Amino acid sequence: MMHQRTNNILLSSFALGSPSFSGALEGRLLRRLAKALVFLFGITWMAPTARALNVAPAWTEMWVQPGAEQVIRLTATNEGTQNVKVSMSTKEGIGTQTGGDLTVDKWITLKEPLEFVVKPGETHEVKAVVKCPQDSPAPQLSAMVSFSSRGSKESTVTSMISLPVYAFVMGLAKAEGTITEIMPFHLKDRLAVGMKVKNTGTIHLRVKGRGDVKDKKGTVIQHFELPPSVPVFASQERGYGVQMDWPEALKPGRYTIEAHLEAGDYKLEGVQGFVVKKNKEIVVDKKK
Amino acid sequence: MKRYSGLLVAGLLATSLPVNAAFQSVQTDVKTAGVTLTGGSVSFTATVKNKSNNQTATSITWTGVTPGSTAWAEADQYIEMASVVSLSNGFIRTYTDNTATTASPRYTGPNNSSATPAGLVNGTNTTSVQPLAWSIQDALTGGRPNGVGDPNNSTQYYYWFYYTDIAQVTFNNPTVQTYNTVVGPGNAIHFAQGGGSFPDPAQFGAAASPNYMFFEANFTGALGGTQYQTNKLTLEAYTI
């Protein structure tokens, strides 16, 4: 079970339904599945007349065994004062790495009803069945589950919100990458740290983690957190950055940044030495 | 009188009839959607308004279109887009969905690398569409210095973007995703074409909300007495 508070919204929390896997793989798979879903934020739909629908999870990442079936659940909570009529659909996700004719309708199915009314204060649960084909041509399947609010009349613009669902196919999916660069710099009396991650695996890496700035004695003088954001797609490189107030203890001298990042179970570590000059200019060691 | 609702529509009727005479308002259209999470949010409210008086409108229409002579023409309405995109992985995109079962008219023509369902569908011959484009600006005036024209002329009409359709074969290509993105992280609006690959589009610039979406269509080859329309203009907030 996971939950996270958002801006004035406590997200729905739930866990994956029990997967049905073969015995030999069961323990390993369940351990992986325990970390499979990341519910990080809620999505709020607000129709014009005091209707508000909070849906979750905002994204789903899961490991799937070819041929096996899993059920994921999404919720829609009406936080407004009027009924909200919701229509559900699926579509191809961004970053889809499928091949051949493996379209989204062949591996993810929303359970009926696809249209429903959510009364104020109530939560409606939507189930989706994810069944990875036995012969999946790709290590990562990507879909979007869309919520659109339908009133009693048509309107000029169709507005919707879509949640991504990513399925990583066991046997084909490989999470692998490296931190290729850690770059501290002085930015308007703030300390900024850029970290570049190269994805050398076959699925995207949604990187998050933490880092420490240490002095030459190894004492931590500044800690920072990197929240999850845009994933780095397979075979691509992406930069992530954090900023913080210039640490008082960051006087002229030699320091080290240690970055501890992760994408699911996969860990990425990086170390970079640097020197702070009297004018707060930062010179990065050529050799880590 | 035939009743239409929820349409992005252009009427090319006989010259003795007023253009758009067949369309009737049925609903004030204000659409809102949003995403919220710790550290940021994605939300938008799209309101259709008349260019003539900035009052809320019910449809997006074209008038003054003359078959045989009008090429690119701008719609009489715009969308006021109030948005917040403070999430680093949040976006708002736009596209048509003209092959949906609920599309009216529903595009029935070819869908391949050279022909797509995107645009205003010919209500009589549903195998053809008239090209449709959008532009988002941070002000109601002055944002389109060269007026309307072919987005492929990116030197002159760099602020227009052809509509894509969700059914078109290239829709999920990263370049297409960049192209159809209206607002990106930092509430940056897609003010001009060029550069970048999804999800790191270039030519985006932070702009205080609200911003304004305009629409143009190419009526070259359009036939008199024919209605061209879509009821599947979509604005979608999403994350990756």
Side-chain angles (χ1 to χ4, degrees):
Chain A
M1 300 284 282
M2 305 172 68
H3 69 272
Q4 182 168 351
R5 185 172 291 279
T6 66
N7 300 342
N8 303 317
I9 297 172
L10 180 64
L11 298 182
S12 304
S13 62
F14 46 85
L16 265 180
S18 301
S20 55
F21 294 123
S22 59
L25 285 171
E26 189 172 12
R28 173 176 155 236
L29 293 178
L30 287 176
R31 281 195 300 276
R32 302 189 83 163
L33 285 166
K35 299 181 179 178
L37 292 187
V38 182
F39 305 151
L40 290 171
F41 54 88
I43 292 188
T44 302
W45 175 284
M46 293 169 291
T49 52
R51 292 179 296 178
L53 198 67
N54 178 23
V55 300
W59 72 70
T60 303
E61 293 174 344
M62 59 197 305
W63 288 80
V64 294
Q65 178 75 11
E69 192 173 287
Q70 296 181 45
V71 176
I72 61 173
R73 295 172 172 82
L74 304 99
T75 57
T77 302
N78 186 350
E79 298 179 336
T81 58
Q82 294 186 15
N83 289 351
V84 177
K85 188 176 182 182
V86 179
S87 178
M88 303 291 302
S89 61
T90 59
K91 61 166 74 82
E92 301 294 333
I94 293 173
T96 300
Q97 298 168 29
T98 54
D101 59 353
L102 184 56
T103 51
V104 66
D105 57 301
K106 293 179 179 171
W107 65 271
I108 183 169
T109 307
L110 295 175
K111 288 205 166 188
E112 300 278 356
L114 300 183
E115 292 189 354
F116 51 86
V117 174
V118 188
K119 296 179 180 176
E122 293 188 349
T123 296
H124 184 92
E125 184 179 85
V126 177
K127 292 180 182 177
V129 178
V130 173
K131 184 172 184 179
C132 176
Q134 196 68 253
D135 55 349
S136 173
Q140 176 174 328
L141 311 179
S142 304
M144 279 188 175
V145 178
S146 299
F147 296 74
S148 60
S149 174
R150 299 183 63 180
S152 57
K153 298 174 180 175
E154 292 289 325
S155 57
T156 303
V157 180
T158 301
S159 295
M160 64 173 64
I161 306 177
S162 297
L163 312 175
V165 175
Y166 301 105
F168 304 137
V169 181
M170 292 180 176
L172 296 175
K174 183 174 69 172
E176 188 178 278
T178 57
I179 300 174
T180 56
E181 188 176 350
I182 300 175
M183 180 62 68
F185 55 96
H186 176 204
L187 182 69
K188 296 179 179 176
D189 277 336
R190 290 172 67 79
L191 174 64
V193 179
M195 290 163 283
K196 198 174 281 185
V197 174
K198 182 170 180 56
N199 187 337
T200 56
T202 60
I203 60 174
H204 78 224
L205 300 176
R206 192 180 300 275
V207 175
K208 64 175 182 178
R210 58 189 174 80
D212 293 310
V213 180
K214 294 182 175 180
D215 64 17
K216 59 185 177 184
K217 293 179 182 176
T219 303
V220 176
I221 64 165
Q222 180 68 46
H223 177 78
F224 60 84
E225 299 280 340
L226 178 70
S229 60
V230 173
V232 52
F233 298 133
S235 304
Q236 293 188 7
E237 194 170 43
R238 165 170 293 280
Y240 298 92
V242 295
Q243 287 186 43
M244 62 213 85
D245 291 337
W246 187 270
E248 264 191 42
L250 196 59
K251 309 289 187 188
R254 173 166 292 280
Y255 299 90
T256 300
I257 291 178
E258 295 180 1
H260 310 283
L261 307 183
E262 61 186 52
D265 290 340
Y266 190 75
K267 310 290 185 188
L268 303 93
E269 306 283 340
V271 179
Q272 177 66 60
F274 65 99
V275 171
V276 177
K277 294 188 172 181
K278 287 182 179 177
N279 63 356
K280 292 186 178 178
E281 181 188 355
I282 290 179
V283 179
V284 176
D285 291 352
K286 289 182 180 175
K287 195 174 181 180
K288 290 181 181 175
Chain B
M1 178 176 287
K2 193 169 182 180
R3 181 183 176 94
Y4 290 88
S5 64
L7 299 175
L8 185 70
V9 63
L12 296 177
L13 307 177
T15 53
S16 59
L17 294 174
V19 174
N20 290 331
F23 309 117
Q24 183 176 342
S25 302
V26 292
Q27 183 189 19
T28 296
D29 189 68
V30 180
K31 300 296 287 186
T32 303
V35 179
T36 304
L37 85 162
T38 302
S41 64
V42 179
S43 65
F44 70 86
T45 300
T47 308
V48 179
K49 291 189 172 182
N50 292 318
K51 285 165 59 181
S52 60
N53 57 12
N54 298 322
Q55 296 301 303
T56 302
T58 55
S59 299
I60 298 173
T61 57
W62 279 256
T63 54
V65 175
T66 304
S69 64
T70 301
W72 286 95
E74 190 167 337
D76 298 335
Q77 290 78 26
Y78 62 91
I79 286 179
E80 184 178 273
M81 170 75 84
S83 64
V84 176
V85 184
S86 55
L87 275 176
S88 60
N89 62 337
F91 304 85
I92 299 170
R93 64 181 178 179
T94 189
Y95 53 84
T96 58
D97 189 10
N98 288 333
T99 64
T101 54
T102 52
S104 178
R106 186 183 185 195
Y107 177 78
T108 57
N111 183 10
N112 50 47
S113 57
S114 57
T116 81
L120 299 175
V121 181
N122 184 325
T124 303
N125 173 13
T126 57
T127 63
S128 71
V129 291
Q130 295 301 126
L132 179 68
W134 60 271
S135 177
I136 186 165
Q137 305 293 330
D138 63 354
L140 282 173
T141 58
R144 302 180 304 291
N146 300 315
V148 298
D150 187 351
N152 280 344
N153 181 352
S154 56
T155 301
Q156 201 167 357
Y157 302 113
Y158 53 86
Y159 40 82
W160 287 108
F161 298 82
Y162 274 106
Y163 254 90
T164 55
D165 190 278
I166 194 169
Q168 73 183 57
V169 293
T170 58
F171 185 76
N172 282 315
N173 289 358
T175 51
V176 174
Q177 290 309 312
T178 298
Y179 197 83
N180 68 23
T181 298
V182 180
V183 186
N187 206 52
I189 63 170
H190 201 179
F191 65 88
Q193 301 176 29
S197 62
F198 190 84
D200 299 309
Q203 308 304 335
F204 277 60
S209 182
N211 293 289
Y212 308 94
M213 282 186 73
F214 300 91
F215 305 89
E216 65 168 5
N218 185 359
F219 295 100
T220 302
L223 303 173
T226 303
Q227 293 162 352
Y228 297 87
Q229 58 199 42
T230 176
N231 66 341
K232 288 296 175 182
L233 182 80
T234 303
L235 283 166
E236 181 180 31
Y238 69 100
T239 57
I240 61 172

